[in-house]
């Protein structure tokens, strides 16, 4: 409609419009709300617009808690997405808290040695490394590496990536 009036709309305008309409147009469709919110948040994150993604992800976390329960895998995924944004913003304490919540859920639901737990341990190691706790970072990286070697193999891309992170930690 705006284009018909001679107004060109940018991709950001369309994203903002879509974000505003999530709660109204999909009011009775919580699953759709969740998917649309995550999609729009992902685009905002790719554009580097963390502050625009955060409210969408916060609302989605609360929605997932209502829909799936507070200890569901969907909640763990939402917590991880929020933690990643906080990490990117340098808000390491907030990232740590979200990663730890997600790790607790993943361990309870998938076991202590799941690849998802390894990923979160590795994420927590990054938080510790950025906070200057190199010994803590190394310990978490070693745990993540052991899980990846046991679940994905010693030559897996995940194990190789953790080894690279360990090398950086040792160099620091």
């Amino acid at each position: 409609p705006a284009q018909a009036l001679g107004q060109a709309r940018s991709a950001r305008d369309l994203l903002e419009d879509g974000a505003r309409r999530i709660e109204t147009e999909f009011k009775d469709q919580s699953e759709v709300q969740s998917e649309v919110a995550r999609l729009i948040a992902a685009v905002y994150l790719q554009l580097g617009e963390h502050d625009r993604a955060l409210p969408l992800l916060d609302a989605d976390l609360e929605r997932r808690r209502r829909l799936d329960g507070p200890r569901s895998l969907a909640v763990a995924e939402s917590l991880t997405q929020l933690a990643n944004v906080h990490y990117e913003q340098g808000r390491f304490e907030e990232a740590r808290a979200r990663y730890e919540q997600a790790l607790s859920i993943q361990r309870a639901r998938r076991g202590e040695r799941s690849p998802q737990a390894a990923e979160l341990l590795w994420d927590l190691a990054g938080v510790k490394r950025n906070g200057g706790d190199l010994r803590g970072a190394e310990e978490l990286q070693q745990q993540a590496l052991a899980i990846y070697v046991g679940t994905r193999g010693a030559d897996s891309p995940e194990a190789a990536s953790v080894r690279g992170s360990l090398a950086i930690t040792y160099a620091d």
Side-chain angles (χ1 to χ4, degrees):
Q3 209 170 21
L5 298 172
Q7 300 171 353
R9 297 192 67 198
S10 71
R12 278 191 170 78
D13 291 337
L14 295 172
L15 280 173
E16 289 171 19
D17 186 44
R20 278 191 303 272
R21 296 166 60 185
I22 290 171
E23 299 299 326
T24 57
E25 293 200 15
F26 304 115
K27 182 172 57 175
D28 298 324
Q29 301 173 59
S30 297
E31 292 290 339
V32 174
Q33 281 179 322
S34 186
E35 288 300 316
V36 172
R38 286 180 185 208
L39 177 65
I40 293 173
V43 174
Y44 275 139
L45 292 173
Q46 288 177 346
L47 295 171
E49 299 207 20
H50 299 95
D51 291 336
R52 292 189 186 270
L54 272 175
L56 294 168
L57 294 173
D58 278 328
D60 187 57
L61 173 60
E62 293 312 312
R63 190 178 301 111
R64 298 302 343 162
R65 283 180 171 146
R66 280 192 318 274
L67 289 172
D68 304 313
R71 306 274 304 159
S72 68
L73 290 174
V75 166
E77 291 168 14
S78 290
L79 286 165
T80 302
Q81 288 177 317
L82 279 166
N84 290 341
V85 175
H86 292 311
Y87 185 92
E88 289 296 318
Q89 291 179 315
R91 296 163 54 186
F92 299 120
E93 193 54 36
E94 291 169 83
R96 181 200 55 75
R98 301 285 188 180
Y99 283 138
E100 287 177 350
Q101 291 170 8
L103 179 60
S104 173
I105 294 169
Q106 289 287 359
R107 283 178 161 167
R109 300 298 301 265
R110 294 184 181 193
E112 292 285 324
R113 301 187 58 79
S114 70
Q116 294 82 2
E119 180 73 26
L120 288 162
L121 288 166
W122 190 18
D123 291 335
L124 282 164
V127 170
K128 287 199 178 269
R129 190 174 66 227
N130 278 296
D133 182 2
L134 299 180
R135 190 175 305 256
E138 176 189 356
E139 181 182 315
L140 292 171
Q141 289 167 329
Q142 290 286 0
Q143 289 176 39
L145 179 59
I147 294 169
Y148 279 139
V149 167
T151 60
R152 305 275 198 218
D155 296 328
S156 69
E158 295 90 352
S161 293
V162 174
R163 284 189 190 99
S165 290
L166 269 166
I168 293 168
T169 301
Y170 292 144
D172 287 345

